[in-house]
Amino acid sequence: MTRNSDDIAPVKAALSAAIEGREAELLELLETLVEARTVTGNEGPGQEVIVDRLESMGLEPDVWEPDPRRLRDHEGYFETSSYLDVGYEGRPNVAARIEGGDGPTLAVGGHVDVVDVTDDEWDHEPWTVSREGQRLYGRGVADMKGGLAATLIAVEAILEEADGLGGDLIVQSVIEEEDGGVGGTLSVLERGYRPDAAMIAEPYGIPNVGIASAGVMYFTITVPGKSAHAAWGHEGVNAIGKATKIYEALESLDLARKATIDYPPAYRADPSLEGNVTNLNLGTAAAGDWPSTVPSELTFQGRIGWPPGESREAVRAQIEATVEAVAEADTWLADHPPTVEWVGWQAAPHEVDPDAPIVRCARANAEAVTGESGDLVGGTAGLDERFYALYYDVDAVSVGPTGGNFHGADEHTTVDSLLETAETLAHAIVDYQSGEWGS
Ligand SMILES: [Zn+2]
């Protein structure tokens, strides 16, 4: 079935009314999801909530655990930290296909996993939803259980109000986005859920539409020293001392990169990112076990993030060359070179054409729903959306609520932006599948 825009206006009005009438349900669903505590590696309890919800809509969700043997040869594959820690058992993905007309197939949904709560700086209870006026607090309310709940409410409204879909709609809830998404979105695509376009409800601040993600890689640097009793320290080589040279060299590399790499979509939504669209962080350092011993080894774990424009290989080569240059200038390290290994996240950046039909359609509907003008943004975090663009030639955009403190204390979003997200998704689904935007 295809509809023209005159037919669509009343459908959109009915969808908006249906969604506004579901505010309490949306918040209840969000609370249930937050209380499921689905830290990456423990997605099972949240996926049960999603399966129940999809079944209550009369759908028959496909539920499966990813099989790394079937993903291993894929260009986008890497072993995620959570897979190495706990495997994929009890961590299913969930997808449901709703059949529609001959129009384009669209995928909607998001990730059910969240990052852990590791600090005690929260003023609100992290594992439930607290409301203060318009604001909602809790782990995952913004990133991205709010968007996931809004997506399900949007789909419910469509099933009730839209009198059939213009094309197939895939609704999905995936695991381990926070850890690289290999067992999640990549597994969904490899299972055969291949849409013409996708709208993922990441918190990009509706009416902004996310069109790009950053490359993100983790690495481990091992710096050798030579142990000795501290009283004979002159016979040892202190790995901490040698490592500080590497720390400083990488800090200089970071500053040089910041000064030369620019990407306006990254700071359209957050001006503080201007001049900081790439970042290199050494996040952990481990060395030594005793004040009285010269440490024989230091291990750094780090992360580099960068906007579209460079390949993984080029970025790796820069870090490796920086470490090598430090080693060559140091008599000990020249003979005992540090090693750089690439472990965990190894994501390339992506960017969707700003003129792609789904980008124009999502933006137009987000602006119409909110009554504000939005920007095309993105490029400072790694995202699942890259799998669609990099390996399947599918345009995937991020359309989701406003909020803040993602991954931090007192993560928050707003009731209004969740409702606006649900309305925008519902409107954009009907609109995009009318075929008028192309595909
Ligand atoms: Zn997210």
Side-chain angles (χ1 to χ4, degrees), residues 78-99:
F78 55 88
E79 286 187 337
T80 63
S81 315
S82 63
Y83 168 66
L84 292 172
D85 283 352
V86 298
Y88 284 130
E89 208 176 310
R91 306 175 60 196
N93 291 298
V94 180
R97 182 186 286 271
I98 305 168
E99 303 217 331

Side-chain angles (χ1 to χ4, degrees), residues 215-248:
V216 172
M217 294 194 291
Y218 289 178
F219 53 88
T220 301
I221 301 176
T222 307
V223 187
K226 183 177 177 224
S227 75
H229 188 299
W232 290 270
H234 58 280
E235 290 176 1
V237 175
N238 193 315
I240 297 174
K242 296 300 176 194
T244 57
K245 298 185 175 189
I246 292 173
Y247 179 92
E248 282 167 8

Side-chain angles (χ1 to χ4, degrees), residues 111 113 142-145 177-178 200-204 382-385 406-407:
H111 63 89
D113 63 317
D143 185 14
M144 63 162 290
K145 288 172 170 172
E177 191 274 345
E178 298 293 359
I200 309 300
E202 290 275 14
Y204 266 72
L383 281 185
D384 274 1
E385 283 81 320
F406 314 136
H407 299 195

Side-chain angles (χ1 to χ4, degrees), residues 245-424:
K245 298 185 175 189
I246 292 173
Y247 179 92
E248 282 167 8
L250 289 175
E251 197 176 34
S252 302
L253 173 66
D254 187 34
L255 291 174
R257 286 173 54 82
K258 280 175 161 50
T260 50
I261 297 173
D262 192 26
Y263 192 69
Y267 48 84
R268 272 188 209 137
D270 181 353
S272 76
L273 292 170
E274 188 163 0
N276 296 296
V277 297
T278 177
N279 40 68
L280 201 174
N281 180 56
L282 291 176
T284 74
D289 47 20
W290 188 243
S292 222
T293 303
V294 176
S296 63
E297 188 176 276
L298 180 140
T299 308
F300 280 131
Q301 288 176 306
R303 173 203 194 263
I304 184 157
W306 74 98
E310 285 171 294
S311 68
R312 287 187 294 193
E313 291 67 28
V315 173
R316 280 181 193 154
Q318 280 192 12
I319 289 186
E320 287 167 2
T322 301
V323 173
E324 249 173 66
V326 172
E328 278 164 20
D330 181 280
T331 22
W332 169 260
L333 291 178
D335 288 339
H336 305 84
T339 56
V340 181
E341 289 164 287
W342 299 92
V343 183
W345 268 89
Q346 303 296 323
H350 95 281
E351 187 176 45
V352 176
D353 178 357
D355 290 324
I358 192 66
V359 176
R360 291 184 286 111
C361 174
R363 185 180 188 173
N365 280 288
E367 291 183 339
V369 164
T370 60
E372 291 164 28
S373 70
D375 273 322
L376 300 181
V377 300
T380 53
L383 281 185
D384 274 1
E385 283 81 320
R386 74 182 185 282
F387 289 114
Y388 296 93
L390 292 174
Y391 310 116
Y392 301 91
D393 199 20
V394 172
D395 295 324
V397 294
S398 312
V399 182
T402 55
N405 297 5
F406 314 136
H407 299 195
D410 295 316
E411 176 177 347
H412 56 85
T413 185
T414 67
V415 178
D416 278 348
S417 75
L418 292 181
L419 289 168
E420 286 166 354
T421 297
E423 283 185 51
T424 297

